[in-house]
Amino acid sequence: MDQLAPPADGRVFEQHGATGAMARLAARNFVLNVLTLSFYRFWGKTRVRRFLWENTTAWGEPLEYTGTGKELFIGFLVVLMVVLLPLIVVMAAIQTAAATFPPAALLGVPVYLLVLFLIGAGLYRAHRYRMSRTVWRGIRGGLEGSAAVYGLTFVLVALASVVTLGWAGPWGEMKLARYRLANTTFGARRFQCDAAAGPVYNRFAVVWLVGFAAFMAMPLVAVMGEDATSLVPLLSAVVIVIVPLAIAIPLAAYRAAVYRQLAAGTRFGGLRFAADVRTWPLIRLVVGNWLITALSLGVLRPVAALRTFRFAAAAITAQGTLDAADLAQGTAARPRTGEGLIAVLDGAGDF
Amino acid sequence: MRDFPATFHDGRTAAAHPVTVRATPAGLRILGEDGLMRAFWTTADLRADGQLPGKGGVRLRCLADPDARLILPDGEFIRTVAPFITATPRERLGGWKAAAAAIAAVGLLAAAALGLPAASRHLARLVPPSLEARWGAALTEGMEQRWGVCQAPAGDAALALLTARLAAPLAPELRPRRVVVVRQAMINALALPGGTVLLFQGLLDDALGPDEVAGVLAHEFTHIAERHVTAATIRGLGLGALVTLVTGDASGALAGGATALLAGAYSRDDEEAADRGAVRLLDAASVSTAGMAAFFRRIGEREARGGALPAWLSTHPDPEARAAAVTRAGPERAVSPALPAEQWAALRAICGKANPGGPGTLRH
């Protein structure tokens, strides 16, 4: 028997990485990216991840990241050739056809849905790759389930959100997160997740109503601005400062509730989780990360990732016990290459 | 020979086993609390992961048992084990290797960028003409319907005469299939895949003589004979792939901008090739290249005056340079007008009355 209980404050994770060390690593990666026409980025990303993982401890013992730059590079090349080039050919063909026969542009709709599907499936595959390269006490993580099912759900959720003017969003997000978490494994054991979307809907309603009001007010503000010139500075202040703030605060409160709800519904063996995510710290994290990334033209993005890891380590707490001796090594096959799909289709998976 | 306490993860479960490690020159004996040996890690197989964060000690691993881990207190590691051990080789591109990789990457990209035009020209020849014709037909029909085609028996005959005269040196399968005048005021002409050339009414109105029109047609005929449109399409695809390879982002604006910029440079190469081909066709037909040069100069002057830039120029090289390139040095060989005066008048009248709103008619 080897029972692991969280410390008194419940914080099982700690992040030890120093900002200065990460900034130096980011600067080094930037220089090498420039020298190699950005081909170094796969190896640079791997070093950033290794720094993040190895400075994260669980019960005092660090995680390991065992992925390699070569795996990311090969994954990227495969997706470029197998997915992206055929996609460009199809898009070009549709555009050419639409130039003479405009209804042909409708063919772009299924292609757009296909891209959405690929983004969803790519996110899932990226998660699978990262989990399979995460090791703690010699035991590997993993992700079961199907990237295709996840991608399909992703498309359906997006369609439902459009049809319901956003109201299906929280339901869909929870559904996707449940699928992801309930298929995440550590060793031979799965996480369990039964987080429901119901409790976050009141906060979502506030976001929606504020957003709706701002949307309706926009034309009104524009019309008023044309008539009364003395009101123009005041009105621009309203538009530039107050509207984003009015949306950002309820949005952060809603996002915080989503994270809390997700953590509260997650179990692993005898452990139950909680996430102490509050509105203002979340705004500070997101705005700070955005400023760091924007002001450094993206160079310091790894520092932003470090702040996110720190935030998560400080927020996540656990209760209960975990029998480490009962947590056996898993036998699932690991993916051989890394996350090319999502690396090509958008900037996700940056750390 | 020393004994010291350590923590052992056997790689089968996440349990932390308290163990006693006995270091010998041959390797580490890992003994359980019951005194029985749990593992023996030979010195040659030992690898160290370096310092763990938060004074967590040092983690060792063994090549023969890749999932197992041994955590030693710092002091013991430095005194006892460190002298025998290899650091875990990190995947890193250091020093010469990184420089070589960088040079190789840049070289490969440069070769790809330089080789792309030639490769796409060769690939374009492999595209079946029937496919090209279908693609071109879709484009052509759309434009002809939108703008309308000018037709008149005398004008058609003049155009056929001029086409036959200019295209004579080309192999039959490389000749244009159709040459059509469309009712459009822009000073432009287009070579479409599948062998159709569209001559815009604005260009006919603007031209000061049949030799100018002959120059433009010879230029478009070369585009067709060298299958430039198909080659440019293939090149665009390859270029998109190259730019994505460097930027890593298929959706970003950066990639789009870089692609457009490079595509423009390549397209100017095509235009120069078409100008050279046009000179050859004009020479073979005994038509003076002076008309073509005059046409380019007039366009250049208009551009300098800041007037509306004819669409013909957007992806084309500097008109002055083009005029110079097509101008014959020394006395011209015996030439004759591209069309006799009567046929030239018929061609200009192919759309009925000259278009009064055309940009060309404003100036002369």
Side-chain angles (χ1 to χ4, degrees):
Chain A
M1 293 293 273
D2 189 356
Q3 297 292 337
L4 288 169
D9 66 357
R11 295 207 170 126
V12 292
F13 297 110
E14 274 183 275
Q15 172 56 242
H16 300 265
T19 307
M22 184 57 112
R24 276 195 296 281
L25 178 56
R28 178 185 173 285
N29 282 349
F30 172 69
V31 171
L32 285 168
N33 278 340
V34 170
L35 290 178
T36 60
L37 286 180
S38 87
F39 274 96
Y40 180 75
R41 65 184 184 276
F42 308 99
W43 286 266
K45 188 186 268 188
T46 299
R47 287 193 62 142
V48 167
R49 282 188 192 170
R50 200 182 293 140
F51 182 96
L52 291 170
W53 266 239
E54 293 184 352
N55 282 301
T56 305
T57 58
W59 278 277
E61 231 171 283
L63 305 179
E64 292 174 49
Y65 180 75
T66 60
T68 64
K70 197 165 122 192
E71 288 167 349
L72 292 185
F73 180 53
I74 292 172
F76 171 78
L77 284 185
V78 168
V79 167
L80 191 66
M81 294 300 158
V82 176
V83 179
L84 192 67
L85 278 184
L87 212 56
I88 293 176
V89 172
V90 170
M91 294 281 215
I94 290 174
Q95 271 176 11
T96 309
T100 51
F101 183 61
L106 284 176
L107 286 172
V109 174
V111 176
Y112 179 72
L113 290 179
L114 176 67
V115 170
L116 213 56
F117 167 79
L118 289 172
I119 289 175
L123 283 169
Y124 202 75
R125 286 173 59 94
H127 186 45
R128 168 142 48 220
Y129 174 75
R130 284 194 295 261
M131 284 309 297
S132 73
R133 298 315 192 253
T134 302
V135 175
W136 181 75
R137 289 189 167 190
I139 304 296
R140 288 185 295 272
L143 182 68
E144 293 170 356
S146 144
V149 169
Y150 189 83
L152 218 55
T153 317
F154 192 81
V155 174
L156 292 177
V157 163
L159 290 178
S161 294
V162 171
V163 170
T164 61
L165 298 178
W167 284 97
W171 162 83
E173 186 185 353
M174 282 294 176
K175 189 176 173 60
L176 289 167
R178 274 199 304 272
Y179 188 81
R180 224 165 42 225
L181 269 163
N183 278 303
T184 300
T185 60
F186 189 72
R189 189 181 286 279
R190 273 172 190 248
F191 281 77
Q192 288 159 288
C193 183
D194 57 8
V200 300
Y201 261 99
N202 50 359
R203 285 176 186 240
F204 176 78
V206 178
V207 178
W208 196 90
L209 288 174
V210 172
F212 185 71
F215 179 73
M216 290 319 244
M218 282 297 175
L220 206 66
V221 168
V223 169
M224 281 162 67
E226 275 172 15
D227 293 343
T229 41
S230 61
L231 276 177
V232 168
L234 186 72
L235 285 168
S236 358
V238 167
V239 171
I240 292 168
V241 178
I242 297 176
V243 167
L245 260 184
I247 295 177
I249 294 168
L251 184 62
Y254 162 68
R255 297 303 313 166
V258 168
Y259 295 130
R260 285 199 300 269
Q261 179 71 6
L262 262 180
T266 303
R267 275 162 294 144
F268 184 73
L271 292 175
R272 294 200 71 95
F273 293 93
D276 184 24
V277 181
R278 304 265 147 221
T279 304
W280 282 110
L282 188 62
I283 291 180
R284 267 206 306 279
L285 174 75
V286 173
V287 172
N289 280 355
W290 185 80
L291 283 176
I292 287 171
T293 306
L295 293 180
S296 69
L297 299 177
V299 173
L300 289 182
R301 206 175 350 218
V303 172
L306 178 61
R307 292 180 80 231
T308 306
F309 266 61
R310 252 185 225 145
F311 185 88
I316 296 172
T317 56
Q319 280 183 326
T321 57
L322 177 68
D323 185 359
D326 192 35
L327 184 53
Q329 185 76 279
T331 50
R334 312 158 76 212
R336 272 172 302 162
T337 60
E339 67 194 36
L341 197 51
I342 205 62
V344 171
L345 290 175
D346 71 9
D350 262 331
F351 49 77
Chain B
M1 192 177 298
R2 290 174 56 90
D3 286 358
F4 49 84
T7 305
F8 182 62
H9 304 304
D10 61 13
R12 287 188 286 279
T13 76
H17 303 287
V19 292
T20 303
V21 172
R22 185 170 297 165
T24 71
L28 300 180
R29 285 165 182 279
I30 301 167
L31 309 169
E33 282 179 309
D34 50 12
L36 295 175
M37 191 161 79
R38 297 198 69 115
F40 179 75
W41 288 6
T42 62
T43 307
D45 282 349
L46 280 183
R47 296 291 182 272
D49 283 348
Q51 204 90 2
L52 299 182
K55 295 201 166 52
V58 171
R59 187 172 55 217
L60 298 186
R61 60 178 78 208
C62 172
L63 293 186
D65 189 4
D67 288 342
R69 302 286 187 271
L70 184 67
I71 319 269
L72 305 181
D74 285 349
E76 290 298 346
F77 172 76
I78 292 162
R79 270 198 297 282
T80 326
V81 188
F84 304 106
I85 211 171
T86 326
T88 304
R90 290 301 199 191
E91 190 206 28
R92 57 187 304 173
L93 297 167
W96 288 111
K97 228 170 143 187
I103 291 168
V106 174
L108 271 176
L109 278 181
L114 290 175
L116 195 58
S120 43
R121 270 199 298 279
H122 284 292
L123 282 173
R125 266 178 231 143
L126 299 179
V127 174
S130 59
L131 183 73
E132 211 182 40
R134 241 178 300 156
W135 174 36
L139 284 172
T140 314
E141 273 172 36
M143 293 190 203
E144 288 176 10
Q145 272 171 20
R146 200 166 341 140
W147 294 323
V149 175
C150 298
Q151 273 173 322
D156 286 344
L159 193 56
L161 185 70
L162 183 56
T163 301
R165 184 171 175 189
L166 290 170
L170 297 171
E173 70 274 13
L174 299 180
R175 284 181 198 157
R177 309 233 164 144
R178 284 174 72 227
V179 183
V180 177
V181 179
V182 287
R183 212 177 288 278
Q184 229 297 331
M186 275 192 288
I187 302 179
N188 202 358
L190 289 176
L192 294 169
T196 299
V197 172
L198 297 187
L199 194 57
F200 288 34
Q201 187 189 356
L203 194 140
L204 278 183
D205 291 346
D206 184 62
L208 296 180
D211 290 4
E212 294 191 3
V213 174
V216 170
L217 281 181
H219 172 98
E220 299 304 333
F221 290 179
T222 312
H223 275 320
I224 298 231
E226 298 186 2
R227 300 182 83 168
H228 280 162
V229 181
T230 306
T233 306
I234 295 171
R235 208 168 52 205
L237 286 175
L239 207 57
L242 274 183
V243 171
T244 307
L245 199 61
V246 171
T247 62
D249 177 18
S251 55
L254 177 73
T259 310
L261 212 68
L262 287 166
Y266 286 133
S267 118
R268 282 190 290 280
D269 288 348
D270 278 354
E271 296 310 323
E272 278 158 20
D275 283 350
R276 284 193 299 276
V279 169
R280 280 196 299 276
L281 291 182
L282 292 174
D283 281 351
S286 300
V287 174
S288 165
T289 60
M292 194 180 179
F295 178 72
F296 288 150
R297 282 213 186 85
R298 209 164 58 246
I299 282 178
E301 279 164 22
R302 248 173 237 169
E303 190 185 5
R305 263 187 263 139
L309 191 68
W312 217 56
L313 273 175
S314 48
T315 50
H316 290 55
D318 170 45
E320 278 304 321
R322 298 178 73 186
V326 300
T327 302
R328 280 263 160 274
E332 293 230 29
R333 284 177 298 173
V335 290
S336 59
L339 280 177
E342 200 180 320
Q343 267 99 339
W344 169 234
L347 179 55
R348 287 200 66 160
I350 194 168
C351 295
K353 246 182 93 180
N355 178 2
T361 52
L362 292 176
R363 267 179 263 279
H364 43 86

